[in-house]
Amino acid sequence: MMKKTKYIALALLLPILFCSFAGCSAIKFNAVLYSHADEWVDEDFIKDNKVKAFYLNDDYTEGISDPNEKYIRDKDSPSSRVFIINDEDEYNRIFSKSPINVNFEKEMVILYIFSDVNPYRKYKLKGINLEDNILTVQTKLEYKNINDTTMPYPRCFMLKMKKTEVREVKFTTK
Amino acid sequence: MKKNSKLRLICFILALTTIFYSISVIGSTSVFAADVNTRYCEDEITPNDNLSNTNNIESVQPKFDNKTIYMCKYLYNLDDSIDYIYTEFENGGYVVFSRETMEMMEYSLNGTLPYTNSSTKEYYAGPSNYLQKEADSKFINLLTNEQIDITINEAIDFSQQIRKAMKIQSLYRTDINFEYSNTEDEVKNLLHSSINFSNSVDRNNKPKEDEDNLIYPTLGMGTLIPNYRYFSANPTHGKNNKGETYGNGNSGTCGSVAAQILLGYNNYYNDRRIINDRYLNGYDDITNTVADPENNPNYCMDPMLMTNYTTGTRSEATGINSFYSKVITTIMKPNTKGASCKEVYNGIKAILNEHLSSNDYYIVYQSKRWFLSPSPITSAPIMAEIDAGRPLIIGTSSRLGSSNHMVVGYGYQNYTYPDGSGTYAGYIVHYGWTNDNCVWINSSWCDGYIALKINHNHNYNTVGTIPGTNRTEYKCTTCGHRTDAAINMLSRDRYIEKVATLSTGKYQDYYLTFETAGNKLIQTFGANDSRLYLYDSEYNLLAEDDDNGYLTNAFLNYTVEADTPYILRVKFYSNNISGKIKIGLTPASNVYSKYENIWTARSTEASFTFSSSLNTTRVITFTPKESGTYKFKTCYIGDTRIDTYLYLVNPYSTDACLFNDDGAGDLQALITTDLVEGRTYFIVVSTYIITTSSGRLSISINKTS
């Protein structure tokens, strides 16, 4: 009976292990994605590098200005921006509030600013590939059984990874 | 717990985990994207589902064993009943089924029929009769390009005969009361369990939504609800910005924004009891009055004024008089983010129940959101709502290529992506963002909807002339709805005229009620080609006409029910004409199919004698042989004096008709006027009080100069 139970447990464990390894092998370069990095990025940097999103109107005064003008939509900026950061000074300048330590001798950071409508969901890193020095990063949006979008706002991903020669980065969401 | 039991429990938990994980990681469930290249026989079963006609299945199975279905779509009978399914196979071959009996109407192992792979409604009237509707009562044969005129009555007769021959009991409508299921699986099941659907069109490669570059469609190539201009006015509504909170500490309020807009629409058009004045624009919180009436739909001078304020509702982030805040706090728990389809549905119900009874509305929702296998919602019920003139909330999903959003749909049309991605069916929506009130979304991104129907029928009273105009305001005595486009024909009304002023391409709808049931003659007058359509309150077409009136005017008779709302639509035949059309309504005692069939005389003098009956008028036409001045005089026959009334209409003009009561003395009517030779004038004669008086009357016509 004991032996039988052991075999059953083993038979059940093996697929789980297989699945786990299958998942792990998709994330190369020791990459880690922080999908709410907008909280860490310097506000002026975000203002200086706008994307197609709604931004708080600097001239808005509560109680005086038209409430419809509290947020203004930027339609002229690009949909997204990518920054490849390879040194600590630049990292500290951009990520003025980041708690993440980066060893720039072995690691690098990629900042992806884009227009997002899902502030209350995380993005997970699903895969990362490098071909011809073009890095493709696949993410997946967290599932929830509700509708919770907002109007577009600027969101930041911070991707910390092994130092690699990269000339271009593309982010996709599944 | 004993050791063995503990181990069994662990194994059980591990087993469950493995199964769960395997399905989500290893197994791949089919994700169908309902784009234009795939399925169009959307989920639909009837309450009397008897689709499994085994005789037909057995005869079909061997024929299509090796076939892969390329597409299937519904085909309509001539009366717009969805009676058939068209299935086309890859590499040729097709079959047309009767939906109810699954009887094969026709098939081929090689060819295809000329139906389009789109959401356009297409019709089937038997082999070789593959039709598309070009305009009301005008079909085009897709095979021969021949134009066919079929009146609505002919269409109904034909369709009923076919269904009778096939022993189909029910009339199928695209009604939200029907249940829906996956019709691809249904067809697959009925043909053969091993039959496959095409993989040649990659269902997962449909374009994803780009929120940075929303699609702003060119309207006119699809279907919009009649009151789509409400959304063009972009009614005031709440904001939904990240970093802000609304209501009671809430954010991610897209569902509440959609609910606010949908309730605002229904309050504006269907029942003004839904939203109290304090939640509408123009209300002053200090004085508790409508201090700015021109921003309030219930108080503005012109009831038809449509600004974003008069159409919208108060949208402050918080506050006891903010309708937006009220909607949020009704739908969402405090300090929460986002809402499900069901929560929005429950919230709308709760707000409606504050002022209405459950009989005053009907609301339904459907959601196909399931984390293992996201699936687009069928388009049939959404299109049905729009066809019935009702906007609805539509949910979209990031797992289907969009975002997790809720919008308000008010139209549907196809869209061709300029990058060659193809043509897809989709909806016209108010997106809920600032100024994004006309956006196209792909139907395959949508996973749910909430449909609302308000059952209230307006009961209009005349208020008076709208200042500065020659229009009249009418107001519903029950809910306070205001309009200038109501025709409430009372029992005592002998003849009513209305003049519609139309811009190019536009039509005018009138909300029509009759105090007395019976035949009503409705026609247009004027110099231009015009059309009339009579609908029930859900925009089901009851009657229509083009050229049976005077020259190219419209002319129809319809037997109406008392106190039942109808919608009368008038428009020019051509979309390039603007101007006026006059409508005349009278409870004519005789039913004529055409203006030229009306009892008439062509001369310089004439006399008509007839018996009038209660609640009706007598219509006559007269064509003067010479231009000149003519006298029209009524008279009663017999000893008992009968008070009479007379109308004379110039059919070529939209000016007001001539009318008279006692001009001839002795309670008889007299009209003297110049007439044009050859023009057939329209005359309405009756007793003065048609509800209580009848008798033998006459009218004499004489040329005086």
Side-chain angles (χ1 to χ4, degrees):
Chain A
M1 189 64 181
M2 192 65 174
K3 228 182 200 178
K4 196 179 176 183
T5 313
K6 274 186 193 167
Y7 284 136
I8 292 170
L10 196 63
L12 292 171
L13 270 170
L14 278 175
I16 295 174
L17 283 171
F18 171 78
C19 295
S20 304
F21 281 125
C24 285
S25 66
I27 311 299
K28 304 169 195 166
F29 307 106
N30 297 328
V32 178
L33 178 73
Y34 302 93
S35 72
H36 273 303
D38 27 298
E39 297 157 9
W40 302 334
V41 177
D42 182 74
E43 282 173 16
D44 289 334
F45 186 85
I46 289 182
K47 276 187 194 172
D48 293 338
N49 293 282
K50 285 187 175 177
V51 291
K52 276 195 172 75
F54 283 86
Y55 290 85
L56 195 58
N57 181 359
D58 289 335
D59 297 329
Y60 178 79
T61 307
E62 190 73 46
I64 297 172
S65 305
D66 181 352
N68 289 324
E69 293 174 6
K70 186 171 182 182
Y71 285 84
I72 297 177
R73 191 175 196 175
D74 187 320
K75 291 189 177 180
D76 300 322
S77 296
S79 296
S80 63
R81 295 176 189 267
V82 173
F83 300 89
I84 301 170
I85 303 159
N86 283 301
D87 70 78
E88 191 166 356
D89 287 340
E90 193 181 12
Y91 175 73
N92 289 329
R93 180 177 68 84
I94 296 173
F95 288 92
S96 55
K97 293 170 265 183
S98 170
I100 307 299
N101 291 322
V102 182
N103 180 355
F104 282 96
E105 286 182 12
K106 298 177 188 174
E107 296 173 321
M108 59 190 278
V109 165
I110 293 169
L111 168 62
Y112 176 59
I113 307 177
F114 67 105
S115 169
D116 185 45
V117 295
N118 301 295
Y120 311 117
R121 300 186 189 215
K122 296 175 195 163
Y123 288 80
K124 291 183 182 174
L125 185 62
K126 297 305 289 182
I128 184 164
N129 280 308
L130 183 70
E131 195 171 324
D132 292 334
N133 292 340
I134 299 174
L135 190 74
T136 305
V137 182
Q138 285 181 324
T139 63
K140 186 173 179 178
L141 182 65
E142 177 188 1
Y143 171 82
K144 286 184 186 180
N145 187 24
I146 52 173
N147 297 85
D148 58 354
T149 57
T150 64
M151 286 152 72
Y153 74 99
R155 184 165 184 162
C156 300
F157 285 169
M158 176 177 138
L159 184 72
K160 188 176 85 164
M161 55 183 281
K162 192 171 93 173
K163 210 171 191 69
T164 310
E165 191 69 36
V166 169
R167 64 178 170 88
E168 190 181 331
V169 183
K170 294 178 185 172
F171 281 81
T172 62
T173 299
K174 230 180 155 183
Chain B
M1 187 188 265
K2 288 185 181 173
K3 204 172 179 185
N4 277 348
S5 304
K6 198 173 177 182
L7 212 47
R8 268 198 285 271
L9 180 62
I10 292 169
C11 291
F12 179 69
I13 293 169
L14 285 172
L16 277 180
T17 311
T18 308
I19 293 163
F20 190 82
Y21 196 45
S22 300
I23 291 169
S24 64
V25 173
I26 298 169
S28 69
T29 53
S30 302
V31 177
F32 292 119
D35 62 42
V36 74
N37 291 322
T38 57
R39 60 190 162 100
Y40 270 93
C41 12
E42 301 295 357
D43 313 331
E44 185 168 340
I45 59 171
T46 73
N48 304 314
D49 183 19
N50 59 351
L51 290 168
S52 52
N53 183 323
T54 51
N55 285 337
N56 291 325
I57 295 165
E58 284 165 7
S59 63
V60 164
Q61 277 177 352
K63 295 180 175 61
F64 299 106
D65 254 356
N66 297 320
K67 290 283 187 181
T68 300
I69 291 177
Y70 172 64
M71 76 156 189
C72 52
K73 79 182 280 186
Y74 284 132
L75 297 179
Y76 292 73
N77 211 329
L78 296 187
D79 64 350
D80 281 302
S81 177
I82 307 178
D83 284 351
Y84 309 103
I85 297 174
Y86 171 65
T87 302
E88 192 173 293
F89 300 96
E90 270 196 335
N91 303 318
Y94 72 86
V95 57
V96 179
F97 294 105
S98 154
R99 273 194 66 234
E100 176 149 353
T101 65
M102 287 313 280
E103 186 173 343
M104 269 200 300
M105 309 302 294
E106 60 175 284
Y107 77 92
S108 167
L109 293 176
N110 301 304
T112 59
L113 293 185
Y115 290 114
T116 58
N117 197 2
S118 73
S119 62
T120 308
K121 262 168 94 165
E122 288 170 327
Y123 297 76
Y124 180 75
S128 300
N129 290 301
Y130 318 120
L131 310 176
Q132 204 174 85
K133 207 181 242 190
E134 266 205 329
D136 296 317
S137 298
K138 287 191 188 336
F139 292 84
I140 185 161
N141 189 314
L142 295 170
L143 204 56
T144 63
N145 272 328
E146 181 194 350
Q147 186 170 297
I148 305 166
D149 291 332
I150 304 172
T151 68
I152 188 155
N153 288 334
E154 286 169 344
I156 291 170
D157 281 341
F158 175 84
S159 305
Q160 285 176 345
Q161 280 174 33
I162 294 293
R163 282 193 290 276
K164 194 176 172 184
M166 291 165 57
K167 294 180 186 169
I168 293 172
Q169 301 302 316
S170 327
L171 174 65
Y172 290 95
R173 306 297 296 252
T174 51
D175 194 300
I176 56 171
N177 284 324
F178 286 145
E179 293 176 34
Y180 295 90
S181 67
N182 187 308
T183 306
E184 267 187 347
D185 287 340
E186 188 177 291
V187 171
K188 196 171 166 174
N189 185 50
L190 287 163
L191 289 179
H192 194 285
S193 60
S194 66
I195 203 160
N196 294 313
F197 280 80
S198 171
N199 289 321
S200 60
V201 176
D202 186 344
R203 295 160 192 257
N204 289 325
N205 262 352
K206 67 186 186 299
K208 283 190 174 183
E209 187 174 35
D210 181 355
E211 289 92 12
D212 291 341
N213 295 290
L214 296 176
I215 297 171
Y216 301 108
T218 303
L219 298 182
M221 294 176 292
T223 299
L224 296 169
I225 63 171
N227 293 324
Y228 72 92
R229 291 185 196 91
Y230 177 87
F231 298 94
S232 301
N234 199 9
T236 56
H237 60 82
K239 301 292 176 282
N240 177 17
N241 291 97
K242 181 241 179 187
E244 302 280 345
T245 58
Y246 308 92
N248 195 352
N250 301 104
S251 45
T253 54
C254 59
S256 298
V257 172
Q260 178 191 15
I261 294 172
L262 185 70
L263 286 166
Y265 172 93
N266 280 284
N267 180 74
Y268 188 84
Y269 283 106
N270 297 325
D271 197 327
R272 294 276 170 104
R273 296 171 296 179
I274 294 173
I275 302 177
N276 196 282
D277 272 336
R278 70 183 228 242
Y279 294 120
L280 298 174
N281 293 306
Y283 192 86
D284 185 284
D285 293 340
I286 295 171
T287 61
N288 288 322
T289 58
V290 178
D292 195 350
E294 288 304 300
N295 281 343
N296 187 296
N298 297 327
Y299 294 90
C300 54
M301 189 178 294
D302 188 337
M304 309 311 288
L305 178 66
M306 288 181 76
T307 65
N308 58 337
Y309 288 103
T310 58
T311 55
T313 54
R314 287 181 65 171
S315 304
E316 298 93 328
T318 57
I320 59 166
N321 288 339
S322 164
F323 189 63
Y324 179 44
S325 180
K326 176 183 175 62
V327 172
I328 294 170
T329 54
T330 308
I331 288 172
M332 302 168 74
K333 295 191 179 74
N335 305 309
T336 55
K337 301 173 177 59
S340 67
C341 193
K342 187 174 181 182
E343 285 169 331
V344 175
Y345 160 86
N346 284 334
I348 292 173
K349 272 184 72 170
I351 291 171
L352 291 170
N353 287 340
E354 287 182 11
H355 298 289
L356 306 182
S357 76
S358 57
N359 292 331
D360 289 329
Y361 67 91
Y362 175 76
I363 185 169
V364 69
Y365 83 95
Q366 193 174 8
S367 176
K368 278 211 165 183
R369 185 164 296 188
W370 188 46
F371 83 100
L372 280 184
S373 178
S375 178
I377 197 85
T378 174
S379 62
I382 295 175
M383 291 166 67
E385 283 298 290
I386 293 167
D387 284 339
R390 295 189 290 266
L392 73 168
I393 291 175
I394 302 172
T396 61
S397 170
S398 61
R399 308 186 88 209
L400 296 174
S402 177
S403 57
N404 303 295
H405 196 28
M406 293 185 110
V407 296
V408 181
Y410 59 93
Y412 58 83
Q413 72 182 44
N414 292 349
Y415 175 78
T416 301
Y417 284 83
D419 63 359
S421 307
T423 301
Y424 294 84
Y427 311 116
I428 308 299
V429 306
H430 188 302
Y431 207 70
W433 296 352
T434 309
N435 298 327
D436 287 323
N437 52 330
C438 183
V439 172
W440 181 89
I441 60 171
N442 196 316
S443 62
S444 62
W445 298 334
C446 306
D447 69 347
Y449 69 85
I450 302 172
L452 171 63
K453 176 176 179 286
I454 301 296
N455 293 330
H456 171 62
N457 294 323
H458 296 307
N459 180 22
Y460 290 112
N461 266 1
T462 305
V463 173
T465 305
I466 299 168
T469 76
N470 59 358
R471 293 178 287 124
T472 302
E473 177 180 338
Y474 303 89
K475 187 170 180 177
C476 175
T477 56
T478 308
C479 80
H481 180 256
R482 305 163 71 206
T483 183
D484 69 349
I487 303 175
N488 184 17
M489 192 163 208
L490 303 174
S491 299
R492 63 173 186 264
D493 288 330
R494 309 168 210 98
Y495 174 72
I496 291 177
E497 286 187 334
K498 278 280 186 191
V499 176
T501 304
L502 302 174
S503 325
T504 53
K506 298 283 190 266
Y507 57 78
Q508 173 69 57
D509 281 353
Y510 291 93
Y511 193 95
L512 205 53
T513 51
F514 300 91
E515 199 173 20
T516 306
N519 178 65
K520 311 297 173 192
L521 166 59
I522 308 171
Q523 61 185 308
T524 61
F525 299 106
N528 293 303
D529 193 351
S530 55
R531 302 198 65 163
L532 276 176
Y533 306 83
L534 184 68
Y535 302 93
D536 68 14
S537 58
E538 296 206 6
Y539 284 95
N540 295 308
L541 186 64
L542 303 173
E544 60 171 314
D545 190 64
D546 185 9
D547 294 331
N548 281 318
Y550 176 72
L551 296 182
T552 51
N553 281 289
F555 180 99
L556 62 89
N557 287 273
Y558 194 80
T559 303
V560 303
E561 293 173 24
D563 302 321
T564 298
Y566 298 89
I567 295 165
L568 182 70
R569 176 170 296 175
V570 63
K571 65 188 291 284
F572 289 111
Y573 181 84
S574 165
N575 285 329
N576 299 320
I577 294 178
S578 61
K580 293 182 180 179
I581 302 174
K582 187 168 79 172
I583 304 161
L585 298 90
T586 188
S589 57
N590 293 55
V591 177
Y592 299 103
S593 59
K594 294 181 182 187
Y595 189 83
E596 63 197 47
N597 292 348
I598 296 174
W599 193 20
T600 191
R602 182 186 169 84
S603 62
T604 56
E605 61 182 56
S607 177
F608 301 87
T609 302
F610 56 93
S611 297
S612 70
S613 47
L614 290 178
N615 298 310
T616 67
T617 59
R618 188 72 206 229
V619 297
I620 297 166
T621 59
F622 176 72
T623 309
K625 278 179 78 173
E626 297 168 9
S627 297
T629 304
Y630 287 78
K631 187 194 297 185
F632 296 76
K633 182 172 175 293
T634 61
C635 188
Y636 58 91
I637 310 295
D639 297 326
T640 307
R641 191 169 65 179
I642 303 172
D643 194 352
T644 58
Y645 210 96
L646 178 62
Y647 301 86
L648 177 65
V649 182
N650 178 349
Y652 200 68
S653 167
T654 56
D655 293 341
C657 67
L658 300 176
F659 55 90
N660 189 259
D661 182 12
D662 301 329
D666 197 25
L667 301 179
Q668 303 308 299
L670 173 68
I671 292 175
T672 304
T673 187
D674 293 334
L675 301 183
V676 173
E677 173 200 338
R679 185 172 297 173
T680 305
Y681 292 83
F682 182 70
I683 303 162
V684 178
V685 193
S686 71
T687 59
Y688 180 74
I689 305 176
I690 60 174
T691 53
T692 55
S693 172
S694 62
R696 199 128 172 89
L697 307 178
S698 76
I699 175 171
S700 61
I701 305 168
N702 296 98
K703 186 173 184 294
T704 59
S705 64

